[in-house]
Amino acid sequence: MVAGEEIDRLAERSGFSGVVSVSRRGAGVFARAYGMAHRGYGVPNTVDTRFGIASGTKGFTALVVVSLIVEGLLSLGTRVRSLLGTDLPLVDDAVTVEHLLAHRSGIGDYCDEDAEPPPQPQLLSSAAAYLPALDGFPQRFPPGSRFAYNNGAYALLAILAERATGVPFADLVRTRVTGPAGMVGTEFLRSDALPGDAATGYLADGRTNVFSLPVVGGGDGGIFSSAGDFGRFWGALHAGRIVPREWVARMTAVHSPETGTREEHRYGLGFWLPADGSTVLLEGYDHGVSFRSVSRPSDGLVFTVVGNTAEGAWPVVRWLGGELLR
């Protein structure tokens, strides 16, 4: 049982703007929307509002790549250089697809806080458009030697998927992940041309995030989705409707037991793995975005909290985790 009154109070105290959804074995248990999708026009969030999910997209990218492995177009051991050619010469020739998926590649990250100059968001409108932004960053450590969370690795995976197939990355996500999962509202949207059912992200000073993020997301983040679509996603994933179940097991097995995260999460291939071993999660955090969706396969429990501010979702996430995962 979910205490809706307590979530209401917590949402009010924390100023949460977004959606909270809980389901079990595909049946809705709780779903409620809070705050505004667009403050200027007074448009409220609804349970069907679509939100940017930032790095939650990485799970979709990993599934696209694994689907190509299943078809024999790639392998975990595929050397990145075989598809890059002379592009990105600072990427170590030993880097493989598996290294990128597991955040163990050691490549330089275009999203490093110290990176200069920063990427120009308005130019990042497709997976291929990320290539210039990824260039010029030296290798940080030998491939495979340790874990280091790396947005550039997943942006690069999207480029590799396009080159292996000749198909735009957004189409690969739609046909190989969101379509099979029945996620009818999940897609890459332009942040400067959002439809009426999509929430605008807001910075702490009240400005929108339109100048802070890529105009269109890529392999490392930025797809828009709804809380309801994530209820469908986890069911499809665990049932083997996106990639075969044996590959789901490999993707949600621990590849990095130490990740340096505050919550001591481990990492698989595209998925975070809490230390208790009972759940799998996707998470996103960025300017005007806060998102976490958690699945417990043993009993079909799924809870998703998604918001259109950077910090708003986390008080609700922590409370729900304490209540539901005891």
Side-chain angles (χ1 to χ4, degrees):
M1 181 68 70
V2 177
E5 296 83 1
E6 181 60 31
I7 296 177
D8 290 346
R9 286 192 291 269
L10 181 57
E12 183 176 3
R13 287 198 305 269
S14 63
F16 173 60
S17 176
V19 173
V20 180
S21 174
V22 181
S23 63
R24 197 179 297 271
R25 301 196 187 283
V29 174
F30 178 87
R32 196 163 294 175
Y34 303 87
M36 292 290 167
H38 196 291
R39 298 175 184 176
Y41 293 112
V43 180
N45 285 317
T46 74
V47 294
D48 297 317
T49 296
R50 296 188 285 175
F51 296 82
I53 63 167
S55 287
T57 310
K58 288 183 174 69
F60 300 162
T61 302
L63 286 164
V64 166
V65 170
V66 166
S67 77
L68 300 180
I69 292 172
V70 171
E71 291 185 11
L73 296 175
L74 293 172
S75 72
L76 288 177
T78 296
R79 297 287 181 99
V80 171
R81 183 61 54 203
S82 68
L83 289 164
L84 275 182
T86 59
D87 291 329
L88 306 184
L90 297 183
V91 171
D92 193 305
D93 289 349
V95 172
T96 67
V97 165
E98 184 172 13
H99 290 144
L100 297 176
L101 286 169
H103 293 293
R104 302 183 70 89
S105 67
I107 68 170
D109 190 356
Y110 83 113
C111 278
D112 273 353
E113 292 181 1
D114 298 330
E116 293 290 344
Q120 294 179 278
Q122 70 274 17
L123 300 181
L124 301 179
S125 59
S126 68
Y130 282 70
L131 190 63
L134 297 173
D135 201 8
F137 300 100
Q139 190 80 20
R140 294 158 55 189
F141 55 82
S145 60
R146 63 183 175 89
F147 176 95
Y149 190 80
N150 191 312
N151 283 286
Y154 271 72
L156 179 51
L157 283 168
I159 293 170
L160 299 179
E162 286 193 344
R163 292 189 176 187
T165 61
V167 177
F169 179 68
D171 292 343
L172 292 173
V173 171
R174 184 177 64 254
T175 58
R176 293 171 178 268
V177 181
T178 62
M183 303 175 76
V184 295
T186 302
E187 61 181 318
F188 289 101
L189 302 173
R190 288 189 64 97
S191 62
D192 59 353
L194 292 178
D197 66 343
T200 296
Y202 289 94
L203 310 182
D205 62 7
R207 292 179 298 127
T208 76
N209 63 358
V210 69
F211 296 122
S212 303
L213 298 176
V215 67
V216 179
D220 59 335
I223 205 167
F224 279 71
S225 188
S226 67
D229 266 5
F230 266 89
R232 289 179 279 275
F233 168 74
W234 291 111
L237 177 71
H238 296 306
R241 296 201 299 272
I242 302 174
V243 296
R245 286 181 174 176
E246 58 267 29
W247 271 102
V248 176
R250 292 181 72 173
M251 296 177 77
T252 57
V254 176
H255 283 67
S256 294
E258 297 181 359
T259 62
T261 57
R262 182 179 62 187
E263 296 173 280
E264 299 183 353
H265 289 159
R266 305 165 300 172
Y267 203 78
L269 299 177
F271 294 88
W272 291 103
L273 308 169
D276 66 3
S278 68
T279 58
V280 181
L281 67 86
L282 291 174
E283 180 175 287
Y285 172 78
D286 214 329
H287 304 285
V289 180
S290 49
F291 161 80
R292 182 179 288 183
S293 187
V294 179
S295 169
R296 186 165 63 191
S298 62
D299 63 355
L301 172 69
V302 171
F303 70 87
T304 301
V305 183
V306 59
N308 54 338
T309 64
E311 304 296 339
W314 309 122
V316 182
V317 164
R318 288 189 291 269
W319 186 86
L320 268 181
E323 287 294 307
L324 299 178
L325 303 178
R326 291 183 296 185

